[in-house]
């Protein structure tokens, strides 16, 4: 494997298959500017050589990628250097767009945590393989941010109102849910992941889909929990406004609705407003236009008290009790 300058990503070509490994395991592969630029450069280089596939994976057994390095983004904002973060987001979204348009089938192996920027690396590619240890989420409303990396394009394109549900609540889903929603395309048991690269190299003429299906083995994937609450998800999160989503969840009163309400109550009210508007608008936008809209939003959001406070509570002090600027939706600030 060729080390890039920092060693935070590793890249090699073997028998016509490119392999990129995210290698910042102590931070659950949270993406730095260096990692994003390095992956982008490798993919750009590999557009000029004939490859049958590119595999994107991780050296960590715990995580594919936990998201962006938002701890550093917060530090830049506090130090008055938000411009450094703007360079990060611009590079990250350029990479998301390159992945979406990549001429060679890109296969992400999602074993462990895949959140935020991790979904940006994987969902825009042709194939997303999940294992029994996969946990996927867009958890940004919990840190005073909003679902980015093209989420305003891919969340509204999930079935029914699932995308609005996942984007507003940050709900974590497993392999069965990921396959049900389409965020994942294939299941391969974790102990079968090492065979993916060789299988692709052994059968360069076979459709990638066929090769991945052969690796699924006999392991049955459990039933999707999301599928069992799909009617209520669509009913509540299909509402045209946040206040109405709230009312419909209260009216449902089921355990699922109560949990969803609790997630909305603990999220940043500012983030919920931004996210609802962004995802509603994303339906009519191209991916490029979505990424541009998100980039514009990052410039203001990373300077807000809610973002600084949200990252503090989740990742710096880890007290998980953020004090948001606005009152929560449930506190009676909206007409009910
Ligand atoms: C929302 C997020 C992120 C998050 C938690 C959230 C995120 C992110 C991390 C993270 C996790 C572990 C690490 C690390 C970062 O957590 O984007 O460096 O070691 O990267 O609620 O968006």
């Amino acid at each position: 494997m060729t080390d890039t300058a920092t060693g935070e990503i590793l890249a090699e070509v073997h028998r016509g298959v490119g392999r990129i490994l995210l290698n910042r395991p102590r931070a659950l592969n949270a993406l730095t500017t260096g990692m994003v630029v390095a992956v982008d450069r490798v993919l750009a280089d590999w557009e000029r050589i004939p490859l049958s596939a590119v595999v994107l994976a991780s050296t960590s057994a715990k995580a594919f990628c936990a998201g962006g390095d938002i701890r550093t983004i917060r530090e830049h904002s506090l130090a008055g250097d938000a411009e450094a973060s703007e360079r990060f987001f611009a590079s990250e979204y350029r990479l998301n767009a390159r992945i979406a348009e990549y001429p060679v089938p890109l296969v992400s192996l999602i074993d462990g945590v895949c959140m935020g920027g991790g979904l940006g690396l994987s969902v825009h590619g042709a194939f997303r393989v999940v294992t029994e240890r996969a946990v996927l989420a867009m958890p940004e409303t919990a840190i005073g941010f909003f679902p980015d990396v093209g989420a305003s394009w891919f969340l509204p394109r999930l079935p029914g109102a699932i995308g609005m549900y996942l984007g507003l609540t940050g709900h974590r889903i497993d392999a069965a849910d990921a396959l049900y929603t389409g965020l994942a395309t294939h299941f391969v048991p974790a102990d079968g992941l090492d065979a993916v690269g060789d299988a692709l190299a052994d059968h360069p003429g076979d459709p990638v889909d066929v090769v991945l299906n052969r690796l699924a083995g006999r392991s049955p994937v459990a039933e999707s929990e999301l599928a069992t609450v799909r009617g209520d998800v669509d009913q509540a999160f299909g509402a045209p406004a946040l206040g109405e989503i709230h009312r419909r969840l209260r009216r449902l009163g089921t355990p699922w609705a109560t949990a969803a309400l609790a997630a909305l109550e603990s999220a940043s009210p500012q983030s919920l407003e931004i996210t609802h508007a962004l995802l509603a608008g994303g339906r009519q936008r191209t991916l490029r236009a979505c990424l541009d809209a998100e980039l514009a939003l990052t410039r203001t959001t990373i300077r807000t008290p809610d973002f600084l406070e949200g990252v503090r509570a989740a990742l710096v002090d880890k007290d998980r009790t953020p004090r948001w600027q606005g009152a929560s939706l449930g506190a009676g600030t909206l007409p009910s």
Side-chain angles (χ1 to χ4, degrees), residues 201-275:
D202 288 343
H203 307 280
D206 289 6
V208 171
D209 170 62
V210 171
V211 176
L212 294 175
N213 278 332
R214 276 199 293 261
L215 293 168
R218 296 279 148 264
S219 35
V221 177
E223 232 189 290
S224 162
E225 283 176 36
L226 260 185
T228 68
V229 291
R230 173 69 192 280
D232 288 350
V233 170
D234 288 359
Q235 209 267 324
F237 285 88
L242 267 180
E244 183 61 22
I245 291 175
H246 229 261
R247 271 189 290 280
R248 291 184 188 181
L249 287 170
R250 274 200 299 261
R251 203 174 305 139
L252 280 167
T254 62
W256 169 80
T258 304
L261 267 174
L264 295 179
E265 301 276 3
S266 65
S268 154
Q270 166 188 280
S271 290
L272 294 176
E273 295 287 352
I274 293 171
T275 299

Side-chain angles (χ1 to χ4, degrees), residues 130-131 134-136 158-159 162 165-166 171-185 187 221-230 256:
V130 286
T131 74
V135 177
L136 285 68
L158 298 185
I162 287 173
Y165 167 52
L166 297 181
H171 178 68
R172 293 167 179 229
I173 63 172
D174 63 9
D177 289 338
L179 290 162
Y180 172 71
T181 59
L183 287 172
T185 59
F187 179 86
V221 177
E223 232 189 290
S224 162
E225 283 176 36
L226 260 185
T228 68
V229 291
R230 173 69 192 280
W256 169 80

